[in-house]
Amino acid sequence: MTQATDIPKPALRAAAAETPAAPRGAWMRKVTPYLFIAPFVISFLLIFVGPALYALGLSFTNYRGFGSFRWVGFYNYVTMLQYDAFWITLRNTAFYWVAHAAPMMGIALGLALLVRSRLARYRRFFKTTIFLPQMIASVTAALVFQNFFGTTSGVLNGFLGMEIPWLTDPDLAPWAVVLILIWRGTGYWFVIFLAGLTSIDLEIEEAAKMDGANGWQRLWRITLPLMKPILLFAFVVDMVVTWRLFAEPNVLLGRAGTLAPIEQAPVLNLVVENIRAGQFGQAAATGWLLFIIIAVLTFVMFKLIGSKTRGSER
Amino acid sequence: MTDTTTHQTQTALPEEMPAERRSRTIILIVLLIAAIFFTYPTIQMLVNSFKSNDGIISNPSGLPDPWTLSSYADGFLGDRGLTRALINSIIISTTSTVIAVALSAMAAYGFAKFQFRGRDLIFAALLTTMMVPPEVLIPGQYLIFARLGLIETLTVQIIPTVTPVLGLFLIRQYMLSLPDEIIEAARIDGASEFMIFRRIILPMAAPVLSAYAILHFLSEWNAYLWPSIVATTPEVKPIMVLLPQLVDQEVGFLPVYGTIMAGCVVATLPMVIVFLIFQDKIMNSITLGAVK
Amino acid sequence: MRTKSTLTRRGLLRTGAALGAATLATPALMRRSYAQGAKPFEVWVWGGPDRFDGRLNSFAQAYPEEAGTFDVTVRSPGAHGAEVWQALRLALASGQTLPDVVMSNYIAVPEFAELGVLTDMSDRFAEFEDDLTPAGRSLSVYNDMFVGVPANHNIKTWFYNAAKFDAAGIDPTAVRTAADFMAAGQAYRSAHPDSYIMNLGDTPIHYNYFMMLSHWNDLTLANRDGSYNITSDPRFAEVFQLMHDWRQSGIAMPIDDWSPDWQPGFQEGRIGSSLIASWMLGFLPRFMPEQRGEWEIAAWPDFSHRGSEGGGPVFMFPNGAPNTDNAWEFMSKLHLSTEGGVIDWQTRGTIPGTTSALSQLQELASNVTRPADMTDEQWQLTPGYYYGDGFMDPIIAAMEDFQVFQYDPAAPAQLDIMRRRVNPYVSGNSTLEEALEGMQADMERQIGNPYAV
């Protein structure tokens, strides 16, 4: 989010303002920008801000969506914080992030380096295949993996001639979710890292010429440090996205459209479960707790990154 | 690029050649393994969709024997409702994309090319809301849309998606780089503001608009959580909500993987074809949001 | 194959709908319309709209002239009963048009009755009240108000493969105590190394617990004052420990009911018996038609002979739905009249809630004959064809012991908590104390007083 391109052109604007305009010009000039932003901003207020505030109000009630309700203060927040399922789903979500992010970023970066390497062939083909899973929807991917990991009529057990309960064993099931996340997500970051590598290419070459370094040294001493801001950014974005995880674990580990068991569920399941139980107040409170967690974590991560990368940013 | 390559080839000593050939082979093998890993599930989906629902149980891992279209027939010709769900998905994703891009483009133009009171404040406020995950709003949105009588409609799946702040941000960033001089020239020529937007800005911003449109369409095609709550009747259910619910109609509960895979193929194929045609554009659109 | 076969079975009412099947306007999965007559109503069931086909067929056979006067829309919000409850709650919250009649196991009747969203059917029940069996009455009533039509009774029933039991030297009627059952399970395992006397996996379903708990009619999870009995009443510990022992001793095949491995388990002969409910009558002929005549029926052993599986399915009528009268007419004719009760039992094995129907079917079951207007395919799926003469005797005898667990208005949430806390113990991943205390604590904190709506 650089401000570099944002520099207004005061000279030009001033010149334009002085030019004699049409009769209603001055007034129109003032109103025009508002007319352009109004449809978006007003829709946004109605669609986003309104429901957000309404949800905040709801979170202090025991409203079921019909009939009467009582104001219950922070009761919904307190019970949720006391509910071990809340902490279990938080732990699960954190696990899903940690377990998939590190290998995924590693694989994505490694593949990006390989594809960019001057020794690589068929670059376009590999770029296409690695990115392809991005075109597969989460739900679709989860169903394909469900078919793959099924116990009695699963593809993998069919190959192995065994009956390993990949998706019902609580120790194995989370890893199947992690595998989907890696499978679907790698292509995205691979493309971004490729673009990143392209943008620092020149610097690498220049630095390498000065150093006379070999391939490995170049990678460790120049490429990776230059890629660090992008990598850290990737981890933050991926973290925020993972807190919103829902489709993959639930489609893969739930059955016939039901939710995954709490032991493997992401935190959003508690919002959905409460809505389906008709507990709108509790659902809203859970949502706002989730918001607070994401906000704090993002803030902390940006602080950490800010202090670490200040030197390399312009 | 070419410079360095020749430079390296020149300095490479003859005895390094076998080593280089070896690395070349290793890189190729690693990339091939990656290619298999990333394409295998898609291929499995395609292959298994040509098995019948009984065939996939008795023979989950082999090739179809016989190859049959019975799963496609079960999904799309019977009363499973996949055809309807597919059409619902197309309507929802397309409408949402058109409205979202239109609203974002207009607002982006306003934010990028005008000076007005509160501009930076409003824009910053909008960006800040990106911190709030949309899922937080679901309880509030559900009840508000319920009061408007919109639950179990296609509309309720479209409306919450038409004001993407990310889209606004990306398009505005791009528009900032468009030259002001052209706009001023058009104004002097007496073009109306909306005319300028339509005739000059939109064509110039076409690359970012189409790139964001693709991103938006994909994310709507993927949508699952909100539709699974507000769209439970077959008339309005999108395909992503229906697919996981396909079960044996006689016994219930048991997923029919043949039909599911057939549905997955039909839901995926258009995306893959579009991707293969426009892959550079799509990959570039991905980098829009990130490497800036 | 299976889906194909149903097409021919769907009988009279389907013809009209089938014509439009390939077109876009077709009522699709989860909702199907039988648009024929002038009396419309919408019904919600779980497990797919086909689950209602059997009832439509029964109705058409019992009342051939009247079947065409109804216009039935069937909607199935999901594969599980819980999804029907969720859909009903959301329909209530969103103010949509409510379904005229909703099928739910008795489990959720207290919740919706306490919320005041069910129509009081007491006046309409007047003409049927005298004919209701005690079991039928217990399913129709909540807090002395008639709220639903009993659609079946989930009587605790033991299905077993007779040849396999003989080979292992097990006589089910001689199995009385829990220790007897354990011994039988072990004898069965040594006679049939590839087969099991029961199945119980890592994620048992709520009914696995509640069938056992319903043995006591004075047992409740919570008291009216909101206090919970789970850690204080030893019967909870007793039941959970028993199930834990079954699983850990190896007499149970480690898969769960309704998991993808369940039906193959029966088909391949790896499950040789099941302590389950009478609705299984209708599923075995579908699961493994080729094992016709091999399966026999007994009552549950003495140590847990009373109770039921969630009572049974009840058709309840939400307040403010547009066509309550039509829905009531259809349901009462099908499930509260003698003809309807007998025919629905003949075709599908459901157990009626009226004395008149019950006494008739007992006679019919002692000498099973094929009803005149049934096709081969329909006939081969009937319990009479599959199990043979006299198959109802143990079930009707067990009806004496039918009773419904005292579910409270928070039962749907309690089911989830119980499974979450007790499943790990049964599958060997936590202790009995953790299960009991966790269950009690979760219910106290997350539900509180179930009666404080």
Side-chain angles (χ1 to χ4, degrees):
Chain A
M1 301 191 188
T2 58
Q3 302 297 314
T5 43
D6 202 5
I7 301 164
K9 297 181 172 121
L12 220 152
R13 284 248 160 72
E18 278 162 27
T19 33
R24 294 176 297 124
W27 188 79
M28 271 307 287
R29 219 19 93 77
K30 262 200 177 128
V31 176
T32 308
Y34 295 104
L35 290 180
F36 274 110
I37 67 164
F40 188 100
V41 172
I42 292 171
S43 312
F44 185 81
L45 288 175
L46 294 176
I47 294 165
F48 196 96
V49 180
L53 296 176
Y54 185 52
L56 190 62
L58 270 179
S59 72
F60 300 105
T61 72
N62 69 347
Y63 192 43
R64 297 181 68 104
F66 65 97
S68 59
F69 68 90
R70 274 182 296 122
W71 293 96
V72 295
F74 282 92
Y75 178 83
N76 291 325
Y77 291 89
V78 174
T79 50
M80 193 40 74
L81 290 172
Q82 285 178 339
Y83 190 19
D84 73 325
F86 179 68
W87 299 101
I88 290 173
T89 55
L90 280 187
R91 184 201 66 195
N92 292 342
T93 316
F95 166 81
Y96 286 134
W97 177 57
V98 173
H100 94 276
M104 179 178 79
M105 298 301 175
I107 295 170
L109 182 62
L111 290 174
L113 287 167
L114 287 185
V115 168
R116 276 209 67 73
S117 141
R118 88 194 145 79
L119 298 175
R121 285 193 209 155
Y122 315 113
R123 285 189 181 132
R124 199 177 162 78
F125 168 76
F126 288 120
K127 240 178 109 171
T128 311
T129 50
I130 293 167
F131 189 76
L132 190 70
Q134 272 289 308
M135 292 296 117
I136 317 285
S138 321
V139 168
T140 317
L143 288 168
V144 173
F145 276 79
Q146 197 181 47
N147 183 216
F148 183 75
F149 284 119
T151 305
T152 42
S153 52
V155 175
L156 181 56
N157 281 343
F159 281 133
L160 299 173
M162 291 196 268
E163 295 209 344
I164 301 167
W166 301 105
L167 299 179
T168 47
D169 184 323
D171 294 329
L172 296 175
W175 293 102
V177 176
V178 168
L179 191 68
I180 300 188
L181 295 177
I182 294 177
W183 183 75
R184 261 200 92 231
T186 303
Y188 182 86
W189 296 111
F190 163 78
V191 165
I192 282 170
F193 294 156
L194 263 185
L197 286 172
T198 315
S199 70
I200 61 173
D201 243 6
L202 223 68
E203 292 170 69
I204 297 177
E205 294 305 339
E206 275 164 19
K209 265 182 222 156
M210 279 188 274
D211 280 11
N214 71 24
W216 282 110
Q217 288 167 328
R218 253 197 342 247
L219 177 67
W220 286 111
R221 295 223 305 257
I222 305 156
T223 313
L224 285 185
L226 282 171
M227 285 294 286
K228 206 168 144 192
I230 297 183
L231 273 168
L232 291 173
F233 170 77
F235 273 98
V236 176
V237 171
D238 190 57
M239 180 196 79
V240 175
V241 172
T242 309
W243 283 104
R244 300 176 47 196
L245 187 65
F246 183 78
E248 286 92 343
N250 284 305
V251 175
L252 181 70
L253 306 178
R255 227 179 269 149
T258 56
L259 297 180
I262 286 290
E263 270 56 39
Q264 289 102 46
V267 66
L268 269 184
N269 276 36
L270 294 179
V271 177
V272 175
E273 272 184 10
N274 274 301
I275 288 180
R276 290 182 175 170
Q279 307 288 355
F280 283 88
Q282 183 78 75
T286 313
W288 280 106
L289 281 175
L290 175 64
F291 163 70
I292 293 168
I293 291 165
I294 296 181
V296 169
L297 281 176
T298 314
F299 180 76
V300 170
M301 295 276 290
F302 272 120
K303 274 273 170 207
L304 286 176
I305 292 170
S307 62
K308 272 191 185 152
T309 57
R310 195 156 297 140
S312 58
E313 256 175 353
R314 280 148 296 166
Chain B
M1 246 332 252
T2 38
D3 260 7
T4 27
T5 324
T6 44
H7 166 75
Q8 278 161 350
T9 340
Q10 278 159 5
T11 51
L13 296 171
E15 54 263 40
E16 278 178 8
M17 289 310 284
E20 197 163 277
R21 200 175 301 138
R22 204 169 55 236
S23 332
R24 206 181 270 283
T25 320
I26 292 171
I27 288 177
L28 189 65
I29 290 171
V30 172
L31 286 177
L32 274 175
I33 292 170
I36 292 169
F37 172 72
F38 287 109
T39 46
Y40 169 75
T42 315
I43 293 167
Q44 178 205 305
M45 168 175 87
L46 196 63
V47 168
N48 277 357
S49 73
F50 291 110
K51 296 173 184 170
S52 68
N53 283 323
D54 288 342
I56 206 167
I57 289 171
S58 51
N59 167 29
S61 46
L63 286 176
D65 178 29
W67 291 72
T68 165
L69 289 173
S70 72
S71 291
Y72 287 89
D74 179 47
F76 292 93
L77 296 182
D79 52 9
R80 293 282 192 181
L82 268 175
T83 314
R84 179 60 178 267
L86 184 70
I87 291 170
N88 287 343
S89 279
I90 294 171
I91 295 172
I92 294 163
S93 307
T94 314
T95 318
S96 163
T97 305
V98 169
I99 302 178
V101 171
L103 289 185
S104 312
M106 279 176 66
Y109 176 56
F111 282 117
K113 291 297 175 195
F114 291 90
Q115 289 282 20
F116 56 92
R117 273 171 65 95
R119 181 188 74 170
D120 296 339
L121 188 72
I122 298 173
F123 192 71
L126 284 172
L127 284 190
T128 315
T129 63
M130 284 176 79
M131 290 280 299
V132 182
E135 290 78 9
V136 171
L137 315 175
I138 288 178
Q141 283 180 329
Y142 186 90
L143 291 179
I144 289 176
F145 286 119
R147 298 298 169 260
L148 299 172
L150 289 175
I151 300 297
E152 304 294 349
T153 60
L154 297 180
T155 319
V156 75
Q157 300 173 67
I158 297 168
I159 293 182
T161 64
V162 298
T163 55
V165 177
L166 177 69
L168 172 70
F169 174 73
L170 295 179
I171 298 170
R172 171 183 167 271
Q173 289 301 92
Y174 189 89
M175 285 184 175
L176 285 173
S177 66
L178 300 180
D180 290 332
E181 291 81 354
I182 301 179
I183 303 168
E184 291 306 332
R187 277 198 191 121
I188 291 163
D189 287 349
S192 77
E193 291 295 339
F194 191 73
M195 200 71 126
I196 296 174
F197 173 68
R198 253 196 63 192
R199 291 284 159 78
I200 299 173
I201 299 297
L202 282 190
M204 284 172 80
V208 73
L209 296 181
S210 59
Y212 179 70
I214 291 170
L215 283 186
H216 191 91
F217 187 91
L218 280 175
S219 103
E220 287 319 302
W221 193 257
N222 276 340
Y224 179 65
L225 175 50
W226 174 246
S228 74
I229 295 173
V230 295
T232 60
T233 51
E235 289 81 357
V236 296
K237 206 178 269 189
I239 193 160
M240 292 306 161
V241 174
L242 179 57
L243 281 175
Q245 296 173 342
L246 296 175
V247 292
D248 188 310
Q249 287 174 316
E250 185 77 2
V251 180
F253 300 86
L254 303 175
V256 278
Y257 283 114
T259 309
I260 290 174
M261 288 307 129
C264 287
V265 168
V266 174
T268 305
L269 217 55
M271 304 294 131
V272 171
I273 291 170
V274 168
F275 168 64
L276 291 178
I277 298 170
F278 299 108
Q279 51 176 313
D280 294 323
K281 179 150 211 114
I282 291 174
M283 289 197 217
N284 287 339
S285 75
I286 295 283
T287 59
L288 268 184
V291 198
K292 282 278 165 178
Chain C
M1 290 306 285
R2 187 155 281 111
T3 47
K4 285 268 169 57
S5 70
T6 63
L7 282 174
T8 46
R9 219 164 18 78
R10 271 171 203 156
L12 319 162
L13 299 168
R14 294 297 309 283
T15 334
L19 282 175
T23 68
L24 183 63
T26 314
L29 176 79
M30 311 293 166
R31 188 198 282 274
R32 183 175 294 142
S33 209
Y34 301 83
Q36 296 265 317
K39 290 186 273 186
F41 70 89
E42 178 168 333
V43 55
W44 287 7
V45 297
W46 71 82
D50 290 32
R51 287 289 178 88
F52 203 73
D53 285 354
R55 287 192 163 81
L56 287 166
N57 282 330
S58 300
F59 192 94
Q61 285 178 34
Y63 305 96
E65 317 83 58
E66 286 173 60
T69 64
F70 287 96
D71 171 0
V72 189
T73 303
V74 183
R75 186 182 154 202
S76 176
H80 306 83
E83 289 167 80
V84 176
W85 308 332
Q86 291 164 0
L88 183 56
R89 292 187 197 108
L90 288 184
L92 288 162
S94 68
Q96 298 164 70
T97 311
L98 293 170
D100 301 293
V101 56
V102 177
M103 185 168 87
S104 160
N105 269 345
Y106 191 81
I107 298 167
V109 167
E111 174 184 334
F112 293 107
E114 289 276 348
L115 283 172
V117 298
L118 298 185
T119 313
D120 182 353
M121 309 301 277
S122 302
D123 291 345
R124 302 176 204 244
F125 256 92
E127 58 174 304
F128 302 100
E129 212 180 330
D130 293 341
D131 196 23
L132 275 182
T133 61
R137 193 186 164 82
S138 63
L139 288 182
S140 311
V141 170
Y142 180 76
N143 272 357
D144 296 328
M145 180 170 112
F146 278 95
V147 290
V149 173
N152 196 359
H153 295 65
N154 297 344
I155 294 162
K156 287 162 84 169
T157 309
W158 190 2
F159 293 82
Y160 62 96
N161 185 307
K164 287 211 166 95
F165 268 42
D166 278 349
I170 305 167
D171 172 10
T173 55
V175 176
R176 292 178 191 283
T177 64
D180 291 348
F181 184 76
M182 179 68 86
Q186 255 133 12
Y188 185 94
R189 288 289 290 148
S190 40
H192 309 287
D194 291 333
S195 186
Y196 298 81
I197 201 167
M198 66 179 297
N199 64 284
L200 197 61
D202 287 336
T203 52
I205 297 177
H206 55 80
Y207 68 59
N208 294 119
Y209 302 114
F210 275 106
M211 282 196 292
M212 302 279 290
L213 294 171
S214 64
H215 181 60
W216 299 283
N217 67 356
D218 60 338
L219 186 64
T220 57
L221 292 167
N223 305 312
R224 279 264 160 190
D225 64 1
S227 59
Y228 282 84
N229 303 323
I230 295 142
T231 49
S232 52
D233 194 316
R235 290 174 289 186
F236 288 103
E238 186 188 321
V239 162
F240 301 152
Q241 187 157 22
L242 206 52
M243 297 179 62
H244 169 88
D245 292 348
W246 291 342
R247 171 72 202 273
Q248 300 306 321
S249 65
I251 67 164
M253 182 181 182
I255 60 152
D256 286 300
D257 294 4
W258 303 112
S259 70
D261 309 325
W262 195 45
Q263 183 185 2
F266 280 103
Q267 269 174 344
E268 295 157 9
R270 300 203 289 161
I271 304 175
S273 122
S274 182
L275 283 176
I276 203 158
S278 50
W279 43 251
M280 198 67 180
L281 278 175
F283 283 99
L284 291 186
R286 287 174 168 77
F287 279 9
M288 47 210 186
E290 68 289 349
Q291 292 182 34
R292 180 200 167 206
E294 294 175 26
W295 286 75
E296 289 185 11
I297 295 164
W300 274 44
D302 276 352
F303 70 88
S304 186
H305 65 102
R306 284 188 295 265
S308 65
E309 189 274 279
V314 175
F315 282 109
M316 41 189 203
F317 303 84
N319 259 332
N323 297 302
T324 308
D325 290 337
N326 299 341
W328 162 259
E329 188 189 339
F330 185 95
M331 293 304 168
S332 59
K333 280 196 162 132
L334 181 59
H335 288 301
L336 295 176
S337 79
T338 316
E339 309 90 298
V342 170
I343 289 206
D344 201 47
W345 165 78
Q346 268 182 330
T347 53
R348 305 189 315 117
T350 56
I351 292 146
T354 55
T355 320
S356 57
L358 208 58
S359 57
Q360 270 202 27
L361 66 87
Q362 203 162 3
E363 253 169 64
L364 288 167
S366 59
N367 183 14
V368 177
T369 50
R370 173 176 167 169
D373 47 358
M374 228 181 225
T375 67
D376 276 356
E377 239 170 321
Q378 287 173 330
W379 168 235
Q380 281 162 15
L381 288 169
T382 61
Y385 173 85
Y386 193 81
Y387 305 97
D389 287 351
F391 72 96
M392 281 305 284
D393 294 345
I395 296 177
I396 290 174
M399 226 172 148
E400 300 283 306
D401 292 329
F402 180 90
Q403 64 193 23
V404 186
F405 184 81
Q406 290 193 47
Y407 296 102
D408 64 43
Q414 290 162 345
L415 306 181
D416 292 339
I417 291 176
M418 177 180 291
R419 291 187 66 199
R420 206 163 81 70
R421 287 306 182 177
V422 185
N423 287 358
Y425 166 61
V426 169
S427 57
N429 295 314
S430 77
T431 66
L432 180 58
E433 286 69 32
E434 282 169 354
L436 294 168
E437 277 158 25
M439 191 171 144
Q440 169 119 356
D442 277 3
M443 289 190 189
E444 282 168 354
R445 285 199 206 113
Q446 298 307 311
I447 295 170
N449 184 346
Y451 296 95
V453 177

